[in-house]
Amino acid sequence: MAVESLETEMDTAVRVVHLASSLCVKVQEKLRLPSSTNNGHVKSKDDDSPVTVADWGVQAIVSWVLAEVFGGQNLSIVAEEDTESLSKAESLGLLGAVSNAVNEALSEAPKYGLPKPDKPLGSSDILKAISRCNSLGGPKGRHWVLDPVDGTLGFVRGDQYAVALALIENGKVLLGVLGCPNYPVKKECLSNGCNQTTGSVSKGCVMYAKKGSGQAWMQPLVSGGFPESAATVLKVSTVDDPVLATVCEPVERANSNHLFTAGLANSMGVRKQPLRVYSMVKYAAIARGDAEVFMKFAQSSYKEKIWDHAAGVVIVEEAGGVVTDAGGRELDFSKGVYLEGLDRGIVASSGQVLHEKIIGAVYASWESSSL
């Protein structure tokens, strides 16, 4: 398929991620109010990870907009959240909060160049939109892949998170969009927040790329509409010496073996402290040249999901970076919801030379580790 034929898909995806990011900003502001005012707006899933009004709200908005633009009949959306807990009687207040957030955001949709409903969506419309995202993906056909709020723990804590939307066709990622509402303009603010010392920090962006275009782009996130300013081109760092590289890794120990990545970094002579960042913002950091390496070696019982990687992978690759498993093989998005057949872990880097050094170091370190 020619890259050019994705014009409507790309345009819609970028605009809806801008809109969804604006919803997240508003919900995160409410979450940071005293607990009495946000009571019940954060639930725990079976794996104890939090899910919020924003998770369901973003999923409802993206689902509704994609169905409006592309028709709901044959629309396949693979997404993280379901409506089980939201449909329960005791969740009525939560469903009301989700409905309010969704309708407030959709009323602004024309400012983003998107359709809006004739009248506010009712609870049943919103549950229908969320539950439409029940596809399991697979090797055939076209599937939208959504992580409505990647890094919910970061989101709840007022830290980094991402809205991630990708389009996969016949197992290949065609395009990816990442909304990073708290991504700072200044690199150093990624690790220390900067808020305390500099007051108002300029932050928020949407990154996007089409497979095979050789370009990745970034737009600023602006309040209340689609940005008028032109997008800027993203380029990975030119650093290819591990000694000078900044390595990103997940914040949560449950999701990654910090001990192994620390040993690996040490064996390569990495001197900088690791940049521990929530969510797919790690891919964003590599695409923008703020870091050179992202390594994730999950515990053997953990299975990586496609929505945690699809959008980030294509953006890094088109910005000039490389993403493979730890054996140097491309990630396989054709097997459904999970990244099956993953060799040990995932390695993303700013270029082929650095990547090969890391993969070599993984092989050397693996033999002596007890992972």
Side-chain angles (χ1 to χ4, degrees):
M1 165 170 277
V3 172
E4 294 74 32
S5 62
L6 295 173
E7 196 174 329
T8 305
E9 288 84 349
M10 187 88 245
D11 186 61
T12 304
V14 170
R15 290 173 185 276
V16 80
V17 169
H18 271 280
L19 178 61
S21 297
S22 74
L23 177 148
C24 289
V25 170
K26 287 171 186 165
V27 173
Q28 193 178 51
E29 282 168 2
K30 285 179 184 165
L31 280 177
R32 302 189 76 177
L33 295 171
S35 58
S36 58
T37 57
N38 69 49
N39 191 28
H41 284 203
V42 181
K43 289 271 188 190
S44 281
K45 291 194 271 194
D46 292 341
D47 61 358
D48 285 337
S49 59
V51 57
T52 71
V53 167
D55 292 82
W56 284 302
V58 168
Q59 191 157 312
I61 282 176
V62 172
S63 171
W64 188 86
V65 168
L66 292 179
E68 281 294 303
V69 175
F70 299 107
Q73 198 62 36
N74 298 310
L75 189 66
S76 170
I77 308 175
V78 185
E80 183 161 22
E81 308 308 337
D82 59 43
T83 55
E84 192 180 342
S85 60
L86 200 55
S87 305
K88 290 175 180 169
E90 68 266 23
S91 295
L92 210 55
L94 184 62
L95 180 55
V98 172
S99 298
N100 289 341
V102 167
N103 282 310
E104 186 187 343
L106 284 176
S107 71
E108 303 271 293
K111 294 180 184 175
Y112 294 83
L114 294 169
K116 76 168 190 172
D118 297 331
K119 61 179 192 295
L121 300 182
S123 297
S124 60
D125 300 316
I126 284 165
L127 289 171
K128 179 185 172 188
I130 295 168
S131 56
R132 183 191 283 120
C133 308
N134 61 355
S135 170
L136 298 175
K140 294 275 181 264
R142 182 177 273 203
H143 310 284
W144 290 95
V145 178
L146 170 70
D147 194 338
V149 178
D150 182 45
T152 305
L153 206 52
F155 177 80
V156 170
R157 292 174 177 174
D159 208 319
Q160 296 298 328
Y161 65 97
V163 176
L165 181 63
L167 181 60
I168 291 177
E169 188 168 72
N170 299 334
K172 301 289 182 191
V173 183
L174 296 182
L175 62 86
V177 186
L178 276 181
C180 307
N182 284 343
Y183 198 103
V185 170
K186 290 182 179 174
K187 171 187 174 179
E188 56 271 22
C189 299
L190 254 182
S191 51
N192 64 21
C194 284
N195 294 11
Q196 300 81 3
T197 53
T198 57
S200 171
V201 174
S202 181
K203 64 182 182 179
C205 65
V206 171
M207 299 182 180
Y208 57 94
K210 285 182 213 172
K211 184 72 178 172
S213 67
Q215 287 180 315
W217 301 90
M218 180 171 75
Q219 291 175 326
L221 208 56
V222 295
S223 174
F226 197 70
E228 298 294 324
S229 56
T232 53
V233 175
L234 291 167
K235 274 286 170 237
V236 293
S237 159
T238 55
V239 170
D240 59 9
D241 183 351
V243 173
L244 304 173
T246 297
V247 177
C248 281
E249 63 181 16
V251 176
E252 295 303 299
R253 290 182 183 276
N255 283 349
S256 189
N257 189 318
H258 284 179
L259 205 59
F260 179 73
T261 50
L264 186 60
N266 189 49
S267 73
M268 292 189 297
V270 172
R271 290 178 188 162
K272 294 185 179 180
Q273 284 291 102
L275 191 60
R276 288 191 178 150
V277 184
Y278 290 100
S279 83
M280 255 188 276
V281 167
K282 292 179 280 291
Y283 284 114
I286 292 177
R288 202 178 78 169
D290 293 338
E292 284 74 36
V293 182
F294 161 38
M295 296 186 284
K296 186 177 182 190
F297 297 92
Q299 312 302 337
S300 56
S301 59
Y302 182 83
K303 291 178 80 173
E304 297 287 352
K305 300 172 191 75
I306 59 172
W307 54 67
D308 286 329
H309 299 281
V313 168
V314 69
I315 291 168
V316 166
E317 288 176 343
E318 298 306 314
V322 184
V323 186
T324 69
D325 69 13
R329 296 180 308 199
E330 277 188 19
L331 306 188
D332 185 354
F333 290 95
S334 73
K335 297 290 193 282
V337 171
Y338 296 103
L339 285 172
E340 303 285 2
L342 208 56
D343 186 350
R344 292 166 288 186
I346 294 171
V347 178
S349 64
S350 54
Q352 194 63 45
V353 173
L354 183 59
H355 202 80
E356 285 171 11
K357 289 175 184 174
I358 298 162
I359 298 296
V362 170
Y363 272 103
S365 298
W366 197 266
E367 299 305 315
S368 57
S369 86
S370 56
L371 191 65

